[in-house]
Amino acid sequence: MTWQATVLTLFPTMFPGPLGQSLSGRALKNGVWSCQVEDLRLYGLGAHRSVDDTPFGGGAGMVMRPDVVDAALKTVSVKDEISRIYLTPRGRPLTQQDIQHYATGAGVLLLCGRFEGVDERVLEAYNLEQVSIGDYVLSGGEIAAFVLLDACVRLLPGVMGCEKSSVEESFAQGLLEYPHYTRPAQWKGQWVPEVLRSGNHEAIAAWRQAQAEKVTQIRRPDLWSAWIERNKNEPISMCKSA
Ligand code: 6GU
């Protein structure tokens, strides 16, 4: 069963772009996922295939017309059960939990806006989920679409191999990851922490857990508070991993 990505964009040649490389590229070739791209320009109006217009109420920029976006959404054929998403800095922040939800579903339909945005009425009419990838503004939804798709595709069965369990990595348990080291054991006078060379797997797991907690506390007080809250009923060690 192929995981189905459908992207509606004014820049169809951008896709699959970086996702045609490396692990996601191989998975695409192997039919683990598909990337159907729909050119919004084809639904534009008049001789110039116009897709946008000036905002009611005035102000800077252009807004994508609801009739144009509607025509495109009506035409694309996707399974009923896929998530329909509009990528926008006004959306709810995307989390690893969302990614796991999308990746375990049948696929996603992604509407990429350009200009100032898309007319609100068509977003409501199709009840699109509105999702943002962070608190900064991109010039369009396409790069956000790459981010969302990359994060999903790497979780699809067979894509990542067993390099790393997706259970162990950052955010899966709500903490940032512990630091990594490889050879040489001493580099520019700095040793790899002794415990990691000890062969004591229990001690290594405990050290990594402590490091994960420490770095989360320092860099992400928001994640740390949430983690404390979730684990406050865990007796003695809060170490649940390893
Ligand atoms: Cl999803 N789109 C755009 N244009 N800018 C963003 C974003 C999305 N997420 C954060 N900034």
Side-chain angles (χ1 to χ4, degrees), residues 87-89 131-134 136-138 140 144:
L87 294 159
T88 168
V131 168
S132 162
I133 64 159
Y136 38 79
V137 180
L138 305 172

PDB file of all heavy atoms in Angstrom, residues 87-89 131-134 136-138 140 144, ligand 1:
ATOM      1  N   LEU A  87      -0.766  24.644   4.307  1.00  0.00           N
ATOM      2  CA  LEU A  87       0.458  25.057   4.986  1.00  0.00           C
ATOM      3  C   LEU A  87       0.498  26.579   5.096  1.00  0.00           C
ATOM      4  O   LEU A  87       0.477  27.286   4.082  1.00  0.00           O
ATOM      5  CB  LEU A  87       1.671  24.531   4.210  1.00  0.00           C
ATOM      6  CG  LEU A  87       1.748  23.002   4.249  1.00  0.00           C
ATOM      7  CD1 LEU A  87       2.587  22.462   3.115  1.00  0.00           C
ATOM      8  CD2 LEU A  87       2.270  22.528   5.593  1.00  0.00           C
ATOM      9  N   THR A  88       0.544  27.069   6.319  1.00  0.00           N
ATOM     10  CA  THR A  88       0.487  28.510   6.563  1.00  0.00           C
ATOM     11  C   THR A  88       1.129  28.866   7.899  1.00  0.00           C
ATOM     12  O   THR A  88       0.983  28.106   8.874  1.00  0.00           O
ATOM     13  CB  THR A  88      -0.986  29.004   6.577  1.00  0.00           C
ATOM     14  OG1 THR A  88      -1.035  30.340   7.084  1.00  0.00           O
ATOM     15  CG2 THR A  88      -1.879  28.121   7.438  1.00  0.00           C
ATOM     16  N   PRO A  89       1.821  30.010   7.951  1.00  0.00           N
ATOM     17  CA  PRO A  89       2.372  30.429   9.252  1.00  0.00           C
ATOM     18  C   PRO A  89       1.280  30.713  10.292  1.00  0.00           C
ATOM     19  O   PRO A  89       1.572  30.819  11.479  1.00  0.00           O
ATOM     20  CB  PRO A  89       3.174  31.700   8.918  1.00  0.00           C
ATOM     21  CG  PRO A  89       2.753  32.112   7.547  1.00  0.00           C
ATOM     22  CD  PRO A  89       2.222  30.901   6.861  1.00  0.00           C
ATOM     23  N   VAL A 131      -1.614  24.189   9.199  1.00  0.00           N
ATOM     24  CA  VAL A 131      -0.408  23.754   9.886  1.00  0.00           C
ATOM     25  C   VAL A 131       0.767  24.666   9.539  1.00  0.00           C
ATOM     26  O   VAL A 131       0.949  25.039   8.383  1.00  0.00           O
ATOM     27  CB  VAL A 131      -0.084  22.289   9.476  1.00  0.00           C
ATOM     28  CG1 VAL A 131       1.302  21.894   9.926  1.00  0.00           C
ATOM     29  CG2 VAL A 131      -1.133  21.331  10.032  1.00  0.00           C
ATOM     30  N   SER A 132       1.543  25.012  10.564  1.00  0.00           N
ATOM     31  CA  SER A 132       2.759  25.824  10.412  1.00  0.00           C
ATOM     32  C   SER A 132       3.974  24.997  10.819  1.00  0.00           C
ATOM     33  O   SER A 132       3.878  24.119  11.674  1.00  0.00           O
ATOM     34  CB  SER A 132       2.666  27.054  11.321  1.00  0.00           C
ATOM     35  OG  SER A 132       3.945  27.636  11.532  1.00  0.00           O
ATOM     36  N   ILE A 133       5.139  25.259  10.208  1.00  0.00           N
ATOM     37  CA  ILE A 133       6.344  24.525  10.619  1.00  0.00           C
ATOM     38  C   ILE A 133       7.218  25.333  11.567  1.00  0.00           C
ATOM     39  O   ILE A 133       8.302  24.887  11.939  1.00  0.00           O
ATOM     40  CB  ILE A 133       7.179  24.016   9.419  1.00  0.00           C
ATOM     41  CG1 ILE A 133       7.729  25.175   8.595  1.00  0.00           C
ATOM     42  CG2 ILE A 133       6.350  23.067   8.562  1.00  0.00           C
ATOM     43  CD1 ILE A 133       8.931  24.756   7.747  1.00  0.00           C
ATOM     44  N   GLY A 134       6.799  26.497  11.996  1.00  0.00           N
ATOM     45  CA  GLY A 134       7.592  27.236  12.976  1.00  0.00           C
ATOM     46  C   GLY A 134       7.300  28.726  12.930  1.00  0.00           C
ATOM     47  O   GLY A 134       6.633  29.207  12.015  1.00  0.00           O
ATOM     48  N   TYR A 136       8.345  31.675  11.953  1.00  0.00           N
ATOM     49  CA  TYR A 136       9.082  32.506  11.001  1.00  0.00           C
ATOM     50  C   TYR A 136       8.270  32.426   9.721  1.00  0.00           C
ATOM     51  O   TYR A 136       7.422  31.553   9.594  1.00  0.00           O
ATOM     52  CB  TYR A 136      10.508  31.975  10.777  1.00  0.00           C
ATOM     53  CG  TYR A 136      10.555  30.467  10.755  1.00  0.00           C
ATOM     54  CD1 TYR A 136      10.173  29.757   9.607  1.00  0.00           C
ATOM     55  CD2 TYR A 136      10.899  29.744  11.886  1.00  0.00           C
ATOM     56  CE1 TYR A 136      10.153  28.380   9.596  1.00  0.00           C
ATOM     57  CE2 TYR A 136      10.871  28.355  11.886  1.00  0.00           C
ATOM     58  CZ  TYR A 136      10.511  27.686  10.745  1.00  0.00           C
ATOM     59  OH  TYR A 136      10.470  26.317  10.747  1.00  0.00           O
ATOM     60  N   VAL A 137       8.517  33.343   8.802  1.00  0.00           N
ATOM     61  CA  VAL A 137       7.679  33.387   7.601  1.00  0.00           C
ATOM     62  C   VAL A 137       8.467  32.967   6.368  1.00  0.00           C
ATOM     63  O   VAL A 137       9.525  33.526   6.072  1.00  0.00           O
ATOM     64  CB  VAL A 137       7.073  34.793   7.403  1.00  0.00           C
ATOM     65  CG1 VAL A 137       6.197  34.829   6.156  1.00  0.00           C
ATOM     66  CG2 VAL A 137       6.253  35.191   8.628  1.00  0.00           C
ATOM     67  N   LEU A 138       7.948  31.952   5.679  1.00  0.00           N
ATOM     68  CA  LEU A 138       8.515  31.513   4.402  1.00  0.00           C
ATOM     69  C   LEU A 138       7.755  32.204   3.273  1.00  0.00           C
ATOM     70  O   LEU A 138       6.638  32.670   3.461  1.00  0.00           O
ATOM     71  CB  LEU A 138       8.360  29.993   4.254  1.00  0.00           C
ATOM     72  CG  LEU A 138       8.942  29.142   5.382  1.00  0.00           C
ATOM     73  CD1 LEU A 138       8.538  27.680   5.196  1.00  0.00           C
ATOM     74  CD2 LEU A 138      10.444  29.279   5.437  1.00  0.00           C
ATOM     75  N   GLY A 140       6.456  30.830   0.770  1.00  0.00           N
ATOM     76  CA  GLY A 140       5.369  29.997   0.265  1.00  0.00           C
ATOM     77  C   GLY A 140       5.344  28.686   1.017  1.00  0.00           C
ATOM     78  O   GLY A 140       6.249  28.396   1.809  1.00  0.00           O
ATOM     79  N   ALA A 144       7.782  24.255   3.350  1.00  0.00           N
ATOM     80  CA  ALA A 144       7.102  23.634   4.498  1.00  0.00           C
ATOM     81  C   ALA A 144       6.580  22.243   4.103  1.00  0.00           C
ATOM     82  O   ALA A 144       6.626  21.307   4.905  1.00  0.00           O
ATOM     83  CB  ALA A 144       5.969  24.523   4.989  1.00  0.00           C
TER      84      ALA A 144
HETATM   85 CL1  6GU B   1       3.544  26.257   6.566  1.00  0.00          CL
HETATM   86  N1  6GU B   1       4.116  28.478   5.267  1.00  0.00           N
HETATM   87  C1  6GU B   1       4.734  29.667   5.157  1.00  0.00           C
HETATM   88  N2  6GU B   1       4.574  30.393   4.042  1.00  0.00           N
HETATM   89  N3  6GU B   1       5.504  30.174   6.106  1.00  0.00           N
HETATM   90  C2  6GU B   1       5.662  29.424   7.198  1.00  0.00           C
HETATM   91  C3  6GU B   1       5.061  28.189   7.374  1.00  0.00           C
HETATM   92  C4  6GU B   1       4.275  27.732   6.371  1.00  0.00           C
HETATM   93  N4  6GU B   1       5.397  27.698   8.579  1.00  0.00           N
HETATM   94  C5  6GU B   1       6.183  28.608   9.111  1.00  0.00           C
HETATM   95  N5  6GU B   1       6.347  29.649   8.297  1.00  0.00           N
END
